[in-house]
mmCIF file of all heavy atoms in Angstrom:
data_model
loop_
_atom_site.group_PDB
_atom_site.id
_atom_site.type_symbol
_atom_site.label_atom_id
_atom_site.label_comp_id
_atom_site.label_asym_id
_atom_site.label_seq_id
_atom_site.Cartn_x
_atom_site.Cartn_y
_atom_site.Cartn_z
ATOM 1 N N LEU A 62 2.872 14.342 -10.778
ATOM 2 C CA LEU A 62 3.414 13.810 -9.616
ATOM 3 C C LEU A 62 4.697 12.874 -9.844
ATOM 4 O O LEU A 62 5.480 12.832 -8.964
ATOM 5 C CB LEU A 62 2.416 12.827 -8.910
ATOM 6 C CG LEU A 62 2.561 12.459 -7.488
ATOM 7 C CD1 LEU A 62 2.710 13.634 -6.490
ATOM 8 C CD2 LEU A 62 1.477 11.546 -7.007
ATOM 9 N N ARG A 233 -1.965 21.298 -8.131
ATOM 10 C CA ARG A 233 -2.332 20.082 -8.783
ATOM 11 C C ARG A 233 -1.477 18.849 -8.315
ATOM 12 O O ARG A 233 -2.156 17.820 -8.036
ATOM 13 C CB ARG A 233 -2.084 20.277 -10.290
ATOM 14 C CG ARG A 233 -2.526 19.031 -11.146
ATOM 15 C CD ARG A 233 -2.396 19.416 -12.598
ATOM 16 N NE ARG A 233 -3.060 18.477 -13.459
ATOM 17 C CZ ARG A 233 -3.510 18.684 -14.695
ATOM 18 N NH1 ARG A 233 -3.299 19.889 -15.306
ATOM 19 N NH2 ARG A 233 -4.089 17.720 -15.450
ATOM 20 N N ARG A 234 -0.281 19.020 -8.198
ATOM 21 C CA ARG A 234 0.686 18.064 -7.628
ATOM 22 C C ARG A 234 0.240 17.647 -6.158
ATOM 23 O O ARG A 234 0.252 16.546 -5.784
ATOM 24 C CB ARG A 234 2.088 18.507 -7.641
ATOM 25 C CG ARG A 234 3.188 17.486 -7.144
ATOM 26 C CD ARG A 234 4.458 18.139 -7.106
ATOM 27 N NE ARG A 234 5.519 17.313 -6.529
ATOM 28 C CZ ARG A 234 6.240 16.462 -7.201
ATOM 29 N NH1 ARG A 234 6.126 16.393 -8.487
ATOM 30 N NH2 ARG A 234 7.250 15.716 -6.560
ATOM 31 N N GLY A 235 -0.087 18.708 -5.420
ATOM 32 C CA GLY A 235 -0.435 18.494 -3.980
ATOM 33 C C GLY A 235 -1.656 17.686 -3.820
ATOM 34 O O GLY A 235 -1.765 16.843 -2.930
ATOM 35 N N VAL A 236 -2.565 18.012 -4.688
ATOM 36 C CA VAL A 236 -3.860 17.179 -4.646
ATOM 37 C C VAL A 236 -3.668 15.754 -5.028
ATOM 38 O O VAL A 236 -4.166 14.813 -4.369
ATOM 39 C CB VAL A 236 -4.901 17.803 -5.588
ATOM 40 C CG1 VAL A 236 -6.202 16.868 -5.762
ATOM 41 C CG2 VAL A 236 -5.315 19.187 -5.065
ATOM 42 N N LEU A 237 -2.842 15.482 -6.084
ATOM 43 C CA LEU A 237 -2.536 14.160 -6.491
ATOM 44 C C LEU A 237 -1.760 13.409 -5.410
ATOM 45 O O LEU A 237 -2.078 12.246 -5.160
ATOM 46 C CB LEU A 237 -1.662 14.209 -7.812
ATOM 47 C CG LEU A 237 -2.426 14.695 -9.030
ATOM 48 C CD1 LEU A 237 -1.344 14.946 -10.162
ATOM 49 C CD2 LEU A 237 -3.454 13.628 -9.556
ATOM 50 N N TRP A 238 -0.956 14.053 -4.654
ATOM 51 C CA TRP A 238 -0.099 13.452 -3.573
ATOM 52 C C TRP A 238 -0.993 13.095 -2.453
ATOM 53 O O TRP A 238 -1.073 11.976 -2.006
ATOM 54 C CB TRP A 238 0.980 14.485 -3.179
ATOM 55 C CG TRP A 238 1.571 13.990 -1.901
ATOM 56 C CD1 TRP A 238 2.482 12.977 -1.653
ATOM 57 C CD2 TRP A 238 1.335 14.548 -0.607
ATOM 58 N NE1 TRP A 238 2.817 12.912 -0.347
ATOM 59 C CE2 TRP A 238 2.128 13.851 0.329
ATOM 60 C CE3 TRP A 238 0.440 15.558 -0.211
ATOM 61 C CZ2 TRP A 238 2.119 14.095 1.743
ATOM 62 C CZ3 TRP A 238 0.433 15.881 1.177
ATOM 63 C CH2 TRP A 238 1.255 15.156 2.151
ATOM 64 N N GLY A 239 -2.000 14.076 -2.081
ATOM 65 C CA GLY A 239 -2.799 13.919 -1.000
ATOM 66 C C GLY A 239 -3.779 12.722 -1.138
ATOM 67 O O GLY A 239 -4.014 11.953 -0.178
ATOM 68 N N ILE A 240 -4.338 12.578 -2.324
ATOM 69 C CA ILE A 240 -5.309 11.517 -2.551
ATOM 70 C C ILE A 240 -4.625 10.104 -2.349
ATOM 71 O O ILE A 240 -5.183 9.180 -1.750
ATOM 72 C CB ILE A 240 -5.810 11.630 -3.980
ATOM 73 C CG1 ILE A 240 -6.708 12.796 -4.163
ATOM 74 C CG2 ILE A 240 -6.491 10.254 -4.373
ATOM 75 C CD1 ILE A 240 -7.256 13.055 -5.527
ATOM 76 N N ARG A 241 -3.277 10.071 -2.852
ATOM 77 C CA ARG A 241 -2.588 8.795 -2.647
ATOM 78 C C ARG A 241 -2.175 8.473 -1.238
ATOM 79 O O ARG A 241 -2.078 7.429 -0.742
ATOM 80 C CB ARG A 241 -1.420 8.730 -3.606
ATOM 81 C CG ARG A 241 -1.882 8.347 -5.039
ATOM 82 C CD ARG A 241 -1.025 8.898 -6.144
ATOM 83 N NE ARG A 241 -1.555 8.530 -7.432
ATOM 84 C CZ ARG A 241 -2.621 9.137 -7.977
ATOM 85 N NH1 ARG A 241 -3.156 10.168 -7.430
ATOM 86 N NH2 ARG A 241 -3.077 8.635 -9.117
ATOM 87 N N GLU A 242 -1.878 9.589 -0.522
ATOM 88 C CA GLU A 242 -1.459 9.370 0.918
ATOM 89 C C GLU A 242 -2.712 8.882 1.763
ATOM 90 O O GLU A 242 -2.568 8.029 2.567
ATOM 91 C CB GLU A 242 -0.974 10.814 1.553
ATOM 92 C CG GLU A 242 0.310 11.225 1.040
ATOM 93 C CD GLU A 242 1.418 10.451 1.561
ATOM 94 O OE1 GLU A 242 1.912 10.720 2.633
ATOM 95 O OE2 GLU A 242 1.884 9.571 0.858
ATOM 96 N N LEU A 243 -3.873 9.324 1.346
ATOM 97 C CA LEU A 243 -5.082 8.735 1.989
ATOM 98 C C LEU A 243 -5.385 7.370 1.791
ATOM 99 O O LEU A 243 -6.076 6.782 2.544
ATOM 100 C CB LEU A 243 -6.310 9.679 1.566
ATOM 101 C CG LEU A 243 -6.345 11.108 2.119
ATOM 102 C CD1 LEU A 243 -7.485 11.948 1.531
ATOM 103 C CD2 LEU A 243 -6.347 11.209 3.633
ATOM 104 N N GLN A 244 -4.819 6.883 0.705
ATOM 105 C CA GLN A 244 -5.089 5.378 0.275
ATOM 106 C C GLN A 244 -4.170 4.505 1.008
ATOM 107 O O GLN A 244 -4.445 3.253 1.053
ATOM 108 C CB GLN A 244 -4.796 5.352 -1.198
ATOM 109 C CG GLN A 244 -5.832 6.099 -2.131
ATOM 110 C CD GLN A 244 -5.437 6.029 -3.607
ATOM 111 O OE1 GLN A 244 -4.270 5.599 -3.934
ATOM 112 N NE2 GLN A 244 -6.266 6.462 -4.464
ATOM 113 N N VAL A 245 -3.038 4.973 1.536
ATOM 114 C CA VAL A 245 -1.941 4.141 2.087
ATOM 115 C C VAL A 245 -2.550 3.197 3.149
ATOM 116 O O VAL A 245 -2.155 2.029 3.179
ATOM 117 C CB VAL A 245 -0.784 4.977 2.662
ATOM 118 C CG1 VAL A 245 0.115 4.159 3.399
ATOM 119 C CG2 VAL A 245 -0.137 5.640 1.503
ATOM 120 N N GLY A 246 -3.382 3.699 3.984
ATOM 121 C CA GLY A 246 -3.896 2.857 5.117
ATOM 122 C C GLY A 246 -4.537 1.624 4.713
ATOM 123 O O GLY A 246 -4.298 0.550 5.430
ATOM 124 N N ASN A 392 1.382 2.494 -4.546
ATOM 125 C CA ASN A 392 0.228 3.312 -5.101
ATOM 126 C C ASN A 392 0.623 4.738 -5.377
ATOM 127 O O ASN A 392 -0.253 5.532 -5.757
ATOM 128 C CB ASN A 392 -0.890 3.353 -4.011
ATOM 129 C CG ASN A 392 -0.583 4.248 -2.766
ATOM 130 O OD1 ASN A 392 0.567 4.134 -2.321
ATOM 131 N ND2 ASN A 392 -1.462 5.076 -2.559
ATOM 132 N N SER A 393 1.881 5.157 -5.315
ATOM 133 C CA SER A 393 2.184 6.494 -5.527
ATOM 134 C C SER A 393 3.411 6.656 -6.378
ATOM 135 O O SER A 393 3.954 5.699 -6.856
ATOM 136 C CB SER A 393 2.288 7.201 -4.164
ATOM 137 O OG SER A 393 2.324 8.716 -4.255
#
Side-chain angles (χ1 to χ4, degrees):
L62 194 59
R233 184 174 190 159
R234 178 186 176 91
V236 169
L237 292 168
W238 167 77
I240 291 172
R241 280 155 181 77
E242 290 289 274
L243 292 173
Q244 297 170 348
V245 171
N392 75 313
S393 193

